[in-house]
Amino acid sequence: MSLLAGPASAADLLTISRDALEHNSTLASARAQFGGVQAGVDVARADLRPQLEASGEITHDRQYESPGSSLAGTGGRQDEDYNGAALTLAATQALYDARNGAELEQAERQLDQQTYRLAATEQQVLVDVGSAYFDILRAHEVLETRRAQERAIGRQLEQAGEQFEVGLIAITEVEEARARFDQSRAERITAESNLQVSFEALERLTGERYDSLATLQAAMPVMPPTPMRRDDWVAMAMERNPLVLASQAGVEVSRSGVDVARAERLPVIEAFARYQYSDDDREELDGHASASQVGARVSLPLYTGGRTSAGIRQSTYALEASQYDLEDRRRETMRRVRSLFTQVRNDVATVEARAQAIVSNQSALDATRAGYEVGTRNIVDVLNAEQNLYDAVAAHAEARLEYVINLLNLHQQAGSLDVDFLTTLNGWLTAEAAVSVRPTAPDA
């Protein structure tokens, strides 16, 4: 059950999602489980078909006769050794067996449930891959910001050193700039480590290594989710979320289990046919023996020690539990959809606010630098303004990536995570400024 198909292309979201659907071990395990449940339907169906059995035996017999036996001759003891062979063919066909019919129904409902579970696993893999992909882009954006910050503070440190040499500033300002530079360097190293770890997480999901990944376009659209009403998303989730559908199928599985238990009280009617052939090599017997038999038999359990009644109660409780599980799954899905819908809408406003914060902090930095040049501000003010600017840049990058990840999760919960949506996300990417697997050192 693959949502994506086609040849490998560039290392973008579609390519990596395709790799995950092919190589992810969790998904492979789910597919194997699906195959096992599918085979279980054939197992249950086989009990309703004719059953044919053949058995045979070869024996060596030794017969001991007492002196008074009629076979002992004139009073002497006679023993006899001989070999024998026998063959039996038996065929049965159920004419009425409510238990087997109920077990087949239950197996088919289990297959329905496993189908939805497999779809849920597939969507979860796509969400995990998408989140890992955009986490890499987030780490890359943060790293680029920290590199730019380190370069800017490095230039500020050089300028402070030159000013100190000519006696324009005190040594304390130089040390303050050096401390900020060391801090920015540590933040850059941490960002490089985070980027490398993010690539490792993606490799675990896909089983593949990638030289580079496409990044988000600067003009990526950031819009509220469509449809615009939260209740529409909830209704979509109730109809399409695979975990909700799997829970609904689980109720039907449990209901079939009740039918299986109740069928223990019903009679079983089956037709049968049997043929037997036997022969041995005793001298006094010529020929062989054979017999055939056809008929029908009925069996009805009269008393099983209370086992049948207990089994019915047990399966009834299982049905009740599955109904509560379905209600819990519905409520949890509603909560997640409503929460994610709200988050995505808030993300739209957050991205806009973060973008404006960059403009404001850039203006504040320009004003602070101008004040520093004329002596109304000190170097600490400049360093703080630079720190605020780069923090705003990093926060804007994180807000954009958070919007994409939340939108991805919203579509998963609504059951609308498909190739069309992934194609839409993939259209927001560009390979012009790819993210490298191995982060390069910052510019000197």
Side-chain angles (χ1 to χ4, degrees):
M1 295 179 58
S2 175
L3 292 178
L4 304 175
S9 58
D12 55 15
L13 182 60
L14 282 179
T15 300
I16 294 175
S17 296
R18 188 182 301 115
D19 290 341
L21 293 178
E22 183 176 353
H23 301 298
N24 184 267
S25 56
T26 300
L27 183 56
S29 174
R31 286 170 176 159
Q33 293 176 29
F34 175 81
V37 175
Q38 193 173 37
V41 176
D42 295 332
V43 171
R45 185 176 289 114
D47 292 334
L48 297 175
R49 293 171 176 167
Q51 309 294 308
L52 181 62
E53 179 181 359
S55 62
E57 61 181 27
I58 298 176
T59 62
H60 174 74
D61 298 88
R62 185 173 180 83
Q63 183 172 318
Y64 300 92
E65 300 295 340
S66 65
S69 172
S70 61
L71 298 178
T74 58
R77 179 185 177 92
Q78 178 177 328
D79 297 338
E80 183 177 9
D81 292 297
Y82 62 92
N83 299 311
L87 175 66
T88 301
L89 296 176
T92 59
Q93 170 63 60
L95 301 178
Y96 177 79
D97 192 334
R99 177 182 175 86
N100 287 345
E103 287 179 341
L104 175 59
E105 178 70 18
Q106 185 179 44
E108 291 174 342
R109 299 293 75 76
Q110 287 172 339
L111 181 60
D112 292 341
Q113 184 182 37
Q114 198 65 31
T115 300
Y116 294 128
R117 286 176 175 173
L118 178 58
T121 302
E122 189 175 71
Q123 289 203 357
Q124 186 60 54
V125 168
L126 292 177
V127 166
D128 291 342
V129 168
S131 297
Y133 186 99
F134 291 115
D135 279 342
I136 290 174
L137 301 191
R138 187 209 310 265
H140 168 71
E141 295 283 354
V142 172
L143 174 58
E144 290 301 302
T145 300
R146 296 313 174 196
R147 283 174 173 169
Q149 176 182 332
E150 183 180 1
R151 290 193 296 266
I153 296 179
R155 290 191 295 267
Q156 193 67 46
L157 175 59
E158 292 177 1
Q159 181 181 2
E162 293 170 357
Q163 290 176 329
F164 172 73
E165 292 294 333
V166 297
L168 294 179
I169 61 174
I171 189 61
T172 55
E173 295 195 37
V174 177
E175 295 302 326
E176 181 67 29
R178 189 181 307 279
R180 290 298 181 90
F181 176 77
D182 291 339
Q183 178 181 347
S184 67
R185 180 172 177 269
E187 291 175 348
R188 186 262 302 168
I189 293 173
T190 299
E192 287 180 344
S193 176
N194 290 339
L195 178 60
Q196 193 66 33
V197 170
S198 297
F199 268 103
E200 296 296 333
L202 182 61
E203 181 182 349
R204 184 190 70 82
L205 292 169
T206 64
E208 301 286 340
R209 295 187 66 88
Y210 306 96
D211 293 332
S212 61
L213 302 180
T215 57
L216 278 176
Q217 299 176 9
M220 177 195 79
V222 181
M223 300 177 294
T226 305
M228 302 290 290
R229 296 176 65 251
R230 187 179 66 174
D231 289 345
D232 292 338
W233 284 92
V234 172
M236 187 190 308
M238 293 301 99
E239 294 178 359
R240 301 174 58 178
N241 183 284
L243 289 178
V244 172
L245 298 177
S247 295
Q248 290 176 347
V251 173
E252 297 306 315
V253 170
S254 298
R255 185 171 284 115
S256 297
V258 175
D259 294 337
V260 171
R262 288 174 175 169
E264 293 286 356
R265 290 177 170 172
L266 301 176
V268 174
I269 305 174
E270 61 181 4
F272 67 90
R274 182 184 301 110
Y275 173 77
Q276 293 176 311
Y277 172 91
S278 63
D279 194 9
D280 60 56
D281 58 3
R282 286 182 288 183
E283 295 181 359
E284 64 274 16
L285 298 177
D286 294 329
H288 62 272
S290 63
S292 61
Q293 187 180 40
V294 295
R297 56 173 165 258
V298 179
S299 61
L300 176 65
L302 298 178
Y303 179 67
T304 58
R307 184 178 184 274
T308 302
S309 297
I312 294 174
R313 292 198 305 273
Q314 183 182 42
S315 58
T316 301
Y317 283 127
L319 173 59
E320 184 178 357
S322 67
Q323 291 170 335
Y324 285 123
D325 290 340
L326 171 59
E327 181 61 24
D328 182 67
R329 173 58 61 184
R330 286 177 177 273
R331 293 178 183 180
E332 176 62 15
T333 302
M334 288 181 185
R335 184 194 67 82
R336 290 184 178 182
V337 169
R338 290 167 177 168
S339 176
L340 286 167
F341 179 84
T342 302
Q343 289 179 23
V344 171
R345 288 181 61 88
N346 290 342
D347 288 340
V348 174
T350 299
V351 171
E352 182 179 355
R354 295 296 186 188
Q356 185 59 43
I358 294 176
V359 176
S360 300
N361 280 281
Q362 182 64 61
S363 299
L365 176 59
D366 293 341
T368 302
R369 282 175 175 169
Y372 179 70
E373 294 295 331
V374 299
T376 59
R377 294 294 185 92
N378 58 32
I379 197 170
V380 174
D381 296 329
V382 175
L383 294 173
N384 287 338
E386 285 185 337
Q387 182 71 47
N388 292 338
L389 172 61
Y390 289 110
D391 285 347
V393 173
H396 177 254
E398 291 196 18
R400 293 206 318 153
L401 271 302
E402 193 70 19
Y403 164 77
V404 177
I405 292 174
N406 286 335
L407 188 62
L408 186 68
N409 281 278
L410 176 60
H411 277 270
Q412 179 209 15
Q413 291 298 318
S416 57
L417 180 56
D418 53 19
V419 63
D420 292 336
F421 177 68
L422 290 178
T423 302
T424 298
L425 291 186
N426 202 66
W428 298 353
L429 302 175
T430 176
E432 295 180 359
V435 180
S436 174
V437 176
R438 298 178 179 83
T440 58
D443 297 340

